[in-house]
């Protein structure tokens, strides 16, 4: 009887190890956190007037080190030039509240082989990573809308909670190739046309995410037509 029970226990353990070693190609989830802004009304402290940010996340995993993430996000931005020593021409002040909607894709590189199970592959449940991508942003401020391309640059950490569930935190600075996310352009005061790189706005986000993996990877395919 003891031998039979031991055999059943060993079988369950082996099944558990096998189940925990499944691999998936895709994951989907949601992110929520805070947002910040740098621009004409804030030159130094992007969290002077923090906002709310959130969105949806889709990630396609190439291997243990590399993935591509698509995201659709929204962030609230605000600022007041009176909070800082730098003043606008004529001593004028300007404050604003806007919403920024962003869609884009980013390449991610994990510092460690990210995964669970397969100990011989030296997988890590926790890994830091870097990301870089391109996106498109639409901002609305006082009834005015503006469009700009964006270049998001981020760093974060992922933790595999279980076979299919992942937790994450990412800090991202997105350079907007435009100067009207705050509804204001310095060109309108100086009368000097600047480049699309020099006088541009930045959006910062710090997001916590939860994702669920699906689309199981076929490790051994023996299909017969």
């Amino acid at each position: 009887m003891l031998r039979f029970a031991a055999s059943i226990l060993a079988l369950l353990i082996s099944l558990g190890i096998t189940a925990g070693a499944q691999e998936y190609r895709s994951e989907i989830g949601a992110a929520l956190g805070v947002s910040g802004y740098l621009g004409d009304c804030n030159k130094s402290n992007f969290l002077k007037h923090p906002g709310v940010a959130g969105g949806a996340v889709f990630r396609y995993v190439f291997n243990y080190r590399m993935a591509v993430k698509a995201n659709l996000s929204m962030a609230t931005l605000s600022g007041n030039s009176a909070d800082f020593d730098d003043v606008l021409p004529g001593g004028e002040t300007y404050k604003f509240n806007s919403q920024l909607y962003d869609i884009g894709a980013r390449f991610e590189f994990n510092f460690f082989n990210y995964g669970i199970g397969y100990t011989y592959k030296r997988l890590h449940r926790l890994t830091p990573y870097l990301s870089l991508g391109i996106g498109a942003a639409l901002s609305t401020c006082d009834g005015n809308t503006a469009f700009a391309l964006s270049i998001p640059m981020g760093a974060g950490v992922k933790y595999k909670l279980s076979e299919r569930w992942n937790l994450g935190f990412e800090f991202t600075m997105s350079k907007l190739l435009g100067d009207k996310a705050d509804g204001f352009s310095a060109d309108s005061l100086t009368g000097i046309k600047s480049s699309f790189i020099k006088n541009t706005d930045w959006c910062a986000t710090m997001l916590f995410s939860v994702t669920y993996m699906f689309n199981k990877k076929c490790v051994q395919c023996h299909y017969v037509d």
Side-chain angles (χ1 to χ4, degrees):
M1 185 65 180
L2 291 176
R3 182 176 297 178
F4 176 75
S7 300
I8 295 297
L9 180 60
L11 178 61
L12 291 176
I13 292 175
S14 66
L15 289 175
I17 294 174
T18 302
Q22 297 294 335
E23 295 182 348
Y24 298 87
R25 285 293 192 190
S26 307
E27 56 185 287
I28 191 169
L32 184 65
V34 298
S35 58
Y37 151 84
L38 289 176
D40 296 310
C41 298
N42 184 353
K43 298 293 186 180
S44 57
N45 185 0
F46 65 89
L47 286 179
K48 182 67 175 180
H49 294 277
V52 178
V57 176
F58 174 82
R59 183 181 283 114
Y60 184 82
V61 180
F62 292 113
N63 53 48
Y64 300 122
R65 289 291 187 97
M66 295 181 289
V68 169
K69 179 174 67 177
N71 65 282
L72 176 63
S73 61
M74 184 278 293
T76 60
L77 307 178
S78 61
N80 189 341
S81 64
D83 294 331
F84 301 92
D85 295 333
D86 293 338
V87 296
L88 299 174
E92 297 185 31
T93 61
Y94 179 79
K95 62 181 179 179
F96 76 97
N97 290 281
S98 68
Q99 291 79 42
L100 185 74
Y101 304 90
D102 181 81
I103 184 172
R106 307 174 191 179
F107 173 78
E108 295 181 346
F109 176 78
N110 301 326
F111 281 58
F112 307 130
N113 289 342
Y114 180 62
I116 191 172
Y118 297 119
T119 55
Y120 69 94
K121 293 184 179 181
R122 297 182 179 180
L123 300 184
H124 294 255
R125 300 182 75 158
L126 179 71
T127 182
Y129 68 93
L130 298 175
S131 67
L132 177 66
I134 189 169
L138 179 69
S139 61
T140 63
C141 183
D142 296 328
N144 298 316
T145 61
F147 171 83
L149 294 178
S150 63
I151 303 177
M153 298 164 278
V157 61
K158 306 173 185 176
Y159 177 73
K160 184 162 283 296
L161 191 63
S162 65
E163 178 185 347
R164 292 200 178 195
W165 290 97
N166 304 275
L167 299 179
F169 172 79
E170 182 174 351
F171 170 71
T172 301
M173 290 292 295
S174 296
K175 182 175 181 62
L176 306 175
L177 302 183
D179 191 28
K180 294 184 178 180
D182 50 15
F184 174 85
S185 176
D187 296 345
S188 61
L189 291 179
T190 62
I192 301 174
K193 184 66 176 178
S194 62
S195 68
F196 75 99
I197 294 179
K198 182 179 179 181
N199 287 344
T200 55
D201 298 323
W202 290 77
C203 175
T205 57
M206 292 184 289
L207 298 174
F208 290 93
S209 64
V210 179
T211 59
Y212 177 79
M213 304 201 72
F214 63 100
N215 187 20
K216 184 186 297 184
K217 176 183 176 181
C218 182
V219 179
Q220 292 181 339
C221 296
H222 300 296
Y223 299 124
V224 179
D225 295 331

